[in-house]
Amino acid sequence: MSGKTFARLAASTALLLSALFGSAQNPVLTIHPNQPVSAVSPTLYGLMTEEINFSYDGGLYAELVRNRTFRADWSGILYWYLLENGNSSAKMSIDDKAGPSDALKSSLKLEVTRANSQNQAGVLNVGYWGMPVRPDTVYKGSFYAKADSADVGAVTVSLVSDTTGKAVATATVPGLTTSWKQYEFTLKTGALQPSAANHLVLSVAHPGTLWLNLVSLFPPTYKNRVNGNRVDLMEKLAAMHPAFLRFPGGNYLEGDHIPERFDWKKTIGSLVDRPTHPSPWRYHSSDGLGLLEFLGWCEDLKMQPVLAVYAGYSMEQEHVNPGPDLDPYVQDALDEIEYVAGSADTKWGAQRVKDGHPAPFALTYVEIGNEDWFDRSGSYEGRYAQFYKAIKAKYPRLQLIATMPLKEMKPDVQDDHYYVRATQNFQDATHYDKTDRNGPKIFVGEWATREGSPTPNMGAALGDAAWMTGLERNSDIVVMAAYAPLLVNVNPGGMQWETDLIGYDTMKSYGSPAYYAQVMFASHLGDHTVASKLENAGPKLFYSVSTDTAKKRLFLKLVNGSSAPQTLAIDLAGAMVASTAKLTTLSAHSTQATNSIDAPRTIVPVESALPGVSAKFSHSIPGLSIEVIELELE
Ligand code: AHR
């Protein structure tokens, strides 16, 4: 650039800036980077999950066999079919009197009357909307079985293509005995096209009777955990930089009826010792993702557990009265806390060691119940108080979360939930600005802008981002927040609740625009908010500003919910900054624009360099956009 051109450019920039800063009409954002206001909660962003929308079974939990424990209803044994190849002949039924364990008291009985090596008989499982088969991949499987005699011979296990009917991987398991035993096998694929159109077959080549249960097959899992999680979904969650995991619910904690609650003692130990249970979201839970698996998930993503304990209320208006009736449930919660955080010399800590995790997990927060304002009996005050007293007596440092405002005592933390439209979030972005700082800390344990199905659209992402600016500004009192629901299987029948952050089918997954808004905010958290003021703000313009003291960075988040671009004059109150900042932009041309399983990257954050940054500079925010400007402080 010639000296003359540069001088002309500088003069026109100066003119523009003086017009912007001088006019009463233009929005001006004044930031004092060196005036901290309050600490940003390092645990502000985390995850909330439960078994809903096939989040675990058929989702995060990588098990490929659907109904591995052979539950049946009037229509037959769910997701299992009889296979009679060629002229083979067989019958399958449920045997209520033969099971591999006290927890699994029944099994599938396969009576084969005719079969040979060319005409095998057996059973097939259709998986969760098929089974994901990829080339050169090792699948690890197992089943429990017994036979009436050795005559039945070896069991052949194959992954079979739905379209060709041919096996893409096969293993042979020899030597069934007349007693229950677990058998393991490995299936290895070769060169092939990735596909979900596959099923699993277990078959025999000789007449005889055998019994089967807990048939399991896993693809490679995240960090190769045994009984672990799906890799693509874990990677998407890791990118959210979550500080905590609230589990196991939600309604899933409570169940529709008391016996259908998340009864944690039935979700630990060997899979064969887990009876499984009905979830309130209209399907059955395998409980493969049980208490210790939740904790392993926390460990993998370096999240702290926010443990919700069952508090004596289930959703069909069933409650346990405070007092002696509630004591066993309080004891169960104490045992659960001991299992999570107790040392090896405690009863339940020792059980955790036996289950494979010697070190206790660090635990700070325990939530007592879920959404207890639904309990029309009004028993929550008494139930919370009883849990509080018992838990604090043993674990005085734990922070105990109440699920609704209390009149008779001040809880450590109060869990607030919001499911709203974008307009409401625009209006409510100041929600916590005036909250009493002497009251309980706030955990926004579930929230979402519900626009878009199955996953939120750009309009929802804008509502979310506006709301998050308020959470950040108030994160001295809002210690944690989590979007909900997190996951949805987008296959037909997979969704029970619309507008979920991350969608997936059997093979693939994608993040919604709202997911990317979360990623952008959580990746630029900072440790302090700083003094700032927005004047002459245009419609639907929101911001939050924080600094990362150690890295000397200033994070400015901007949300333009209007469809028109807005030019903002930014005054850094004399602070010295590097002249180029990093800009991340998420934007779309319409609020209805979205991502989907077939178009997963229509709306994704775009990173660029933002030149021309100085103590006073102007920035035009595109319409319908969310931006993070990362400034280097000098
Ligand atoms: O997130 C879906 C449901 O919404 C949760 O299970 C429940 O806590 C809330 O009502």
Side-chain angles (χ1 to χ4, degrees):
M1 194 185 298
S2 75
K4 241 189 212 166
T5 323
F6 180 80
R8 240 185 269 130
L9 198 68
S12 64
T13 310
L15 264 175
L16 178 71
L17 285 176
S18 82
L20 279 169
F21 282 92
S23 153
Q25 308 308 316
N26 290 313
V28 177
L29 175 60
T30 309
I31 301 170
H32 298 270
N34 298 319
Q35 286 181 28
V37 172
S38 58
V40 169
S41 167
T43 55
L44 183 59
Y45 296 115
L47 306 178
M48 185 278 166
T49 73
E50 61 176 320
E51 186 58 283
I52 183 174
N53 302 323
F54 293 86
S55 288
Y56 307 151
D57 291 348
L60 186 73
Y61 179 55
E63 173 66 83
L64 300 183
V65 178
R66 189 166 185 177
N67 186 20
R68 63 188 179 189
T69 52
F70 298 105
R71 283 176 309 97
D73 68 8
W74 58 269
S75 66
I77 306 171
L78 303 165
Y79 311 106
W80 287 92
Y81 295 88
L82 185 67
L83 184 75
E84 295 170 302
N85 279 337
N87 65 358
S88 67
S89 170
K91 188 171 106 184
M92 70 173 191
S93 58
I94 293 297
D95 187 339
D96 286 334
K97 296 189 180 54
S101 64
D102 287 344
L104 302 178
K105 289 191 169 59
S106 64
S107 58
L108 177 127
K109 183 177 179 186
L110 180 67
E111 295 165 273
V112 180
T113 45
R114 190 165 56 233
N116 59 45
S117 54
Q118 266 70 54
N119 301 287
Q120 299 211 358
V123 288
L124 73 83
N125 184 269
V126 295
Y128 293 95
W129 296 273
M131 292 197 181
V133 168
R134 296 186 166 84
D136 304 312
T137 303
V138 174
Y139 295 79
K140 291 191 181 147
S142 61
F143 58 81
Y144 283 75
K146 67 170 190 167
D148 61 345
S149 76
D151 295 350
V152 79
V155 176
T156 304
V157 189
S158 307
L159 268 169
V160 176
S161 158
D162 297 350
T163 39
T164 65
K166 297 219 163 52
V168 294
T170 296
T172 306
V173 178
L176 299 195
T177 69
T178 53
S179 314
W180 282 107
K181 207 181 131 197
Q182 188 182 25
Y183 298 87
E184 293 184 348
F185 60 88
T186 297
L187 295 173
K188 173 146 187 3
T189 57
L192 46 74
Q193 284 299 315
S195 164
N198 302 282
H199 56 271
L200 184 73
V201 169
L202 285 86
S203 58
V204 294
H206 301 283
T209 300
L210 69 152
W211 290 260
L212 290 168
N213 208 328
L214 204 62
V215 180
S216 172
L217 185 68
F218 275 80
T221 57
Y222 190 73
K223 298 202 171 171
N224 294 318
R225 263 192 196 269
V226 175
N227 199 40
N229 292 339
R230 200 171 131 165
V231 178
D232 60 335
L233 293 177
M234 285 295 275
E235 286 174 350
K236 286 202 168 56
L237 300 180
M240 293 173 70
H241 300 286
F244 66 87
L245 176 71
R246 172 181 178 231
F247 67 89
N251 295 353
Y252 184 57
L253 169 73
E254 307 163 88
D256 280 342
H257 304 282
I258 294 173
E260 294 174 3
R261 69 192 184 279
F262 183 83
D263 197 351
W264 72 271
K265 286 177 182 157
K266 295 180 178 164
T267 74
I268 56 169
S270 171
L271 295 180
V272 79
D273 296 322
R274 303 184 193 184
T276 79
H277 81 285
S279 95
W281 295 106
R282 305 191 293 281
Y283 61 95
H284 207 85
S285 170
S286 74
D287 287 328
L289 208 158
L291 178 57
L292 192 55
E293 286 78 19
F294 278 111
L295 295 164
W297 175 8
C298 289
E299 204 162 49
D300 282 352
L301 298 190
K302 299 188 174 50
M303 308 179 285
Q304 61 167 290
V306 174
L307 177 70
V309 297
Y310 179 75
Y313 170 72
S314 294
M315 288 168 41
E316 292 293 331
Q317 292 302 321
E318 293 174 16
H319 79 275
V320 182
N321 281 321
D325 291 352
L326 195 62
D327 282 342
Y329 297 91
V330 174
Q331 187 57 50
D332 233 29
L334 290 171
D335 294 348
E336 189 171 5
I337 294 166
E338 190 173 283
Y339 184 89
V340 174
S343 58
D345 57 6
T346 60
K347 179 180 170 195
W348 289 102
Q351 181 64 46
R352 184 198 63 241
V353 177
K354 195 165 156 237
D355 293 344
H357 201 282
F361 293 88
L363 186 66
T364 302
Y365 293 103
V366 171
E367 179 153 14
I368 315 296
N370 176 59
E371 293 192 341
D372 286 85
W373 69 81
F374 278 114
D375 172 11
R376 291 200 290 270
S377 75
S379 66
Y380 187 63
E381 292 266 356
R383 290 189 285 110
Y384 180 86
Q386 195 169 333
F387 276 88
Y388 185 97
K389 199 166 156 224
I391 296 173
K392 284 279 183 177
K394 201 163 169 200
Y395 303 100
R397 279 203 286 273
L398 282 181
Q399 294 292 292
L400 303 182
I401 304 168
T403 71
M404 58 181 276
L406 299 180
K407 291 193 191 78
E408 284 159 27
M409 66 185 285
K410 175 180 149 186
D412 298 324
V413 184
Q414 177 183 303
D415 182 358
D416 291 349
H417 293 181
Y418 305 92
Y419 291 105
V420 299
R421 291 295 173 108
T423 327
Q424 280 161 278
N425 264 340
F426 292 151
Q427 285 160 3
D428 213 22
T430 53
H431 186 95
Y432 289 108
D433 286 3
K434 297 205 168 63
T435 299
D436 176 7
R437 265 48 188 174
N438 297 314
K441 297 280 186 196
I442 302 294
F443 173 28
V444 187
E446 292 179 28
W447 70 268
T449 309
R450 295 192 72 202
E451 292 185 24
S453 176
T455 48
N457 56 28
M458 187 64 196
L462 289 161
D464 286 356
W467 172 248
M468 284 191 285
T469 62
L471 297 182
E472 289 198 353
R473 196 171 46 249
N474 291 290
S475 75
D476 58 321
I477 182 112
V478 180
V479 288
M480 297 181 289
Y483 188 102
L486 183 68
L487 298 168
V488 61
N489 189 317
V490 300
N491 276 302
M495 180 177 72
Q496 291 84 49
W497 179 285
E498 292 187 330
T499 321
D500 309 290
L501 204 63
I502 297 171
Y504 48 89
D505 63 11
T506 311
M507 302 291 292
K508 316 180 288 293
S509 55
Y510 71 98
S512 61
Y515 164 80
Y516 288 114
Q518 297 272 329
V519 171
M520 285 167 65
F521 271 61
S523 319
H524 300 93
L525 186 59
D527 48 39
H528 277 87
T529 59
V530 293
S532 63
K533 189 166 74 178
L534 178 62
E535 290 159 297
N536 311 326
K540 302 183 201 161
L541 184 61
F542 306 89
Y543 81 99
S544 65
V545 60
S546 61
T547 51
D548 182 321
T549 320
K551 290 191 185 142
K552 295 178 85 181
R553 291 284 185 281
L554 183 120
F555 301 127
L556 173 58
K557 284 136 189 161
L558 297 166
V559 183
N560 184 4
S562 151
S563 57
Q566 302 201 48
T567 299
L568 188 61
I570 299 170
D571 181 349
L572 296 176
M576 302 284 283
V577 284
S579 60
T580 303
K582 190 174 134 197
L583 174 67
T584 310
T585 303
L586 186 76
S587 67
H589 296 300
S590 126
T591 54
Q592 301 307 295
T594 197
N595 294 336
S596 70
I597 196 78
D598 296 320
R601 298 190 58 80
T602 306
I603 302 167
V604 291
V606 176
E607 286 184 7
S608 60
L610 182 69
V613 174
S614 61
K616 278 188 178 185
F617 67 105
S618 87
H619 175 64
S620 174
I621 317 157
L624 305 181
S625 71
I626 300 162
E627 295 198 318
V628 180
I629 303 179
E630 181 177 336
L631 297 119
E632 208 176 310
L633 296 168
E634 292 182 336

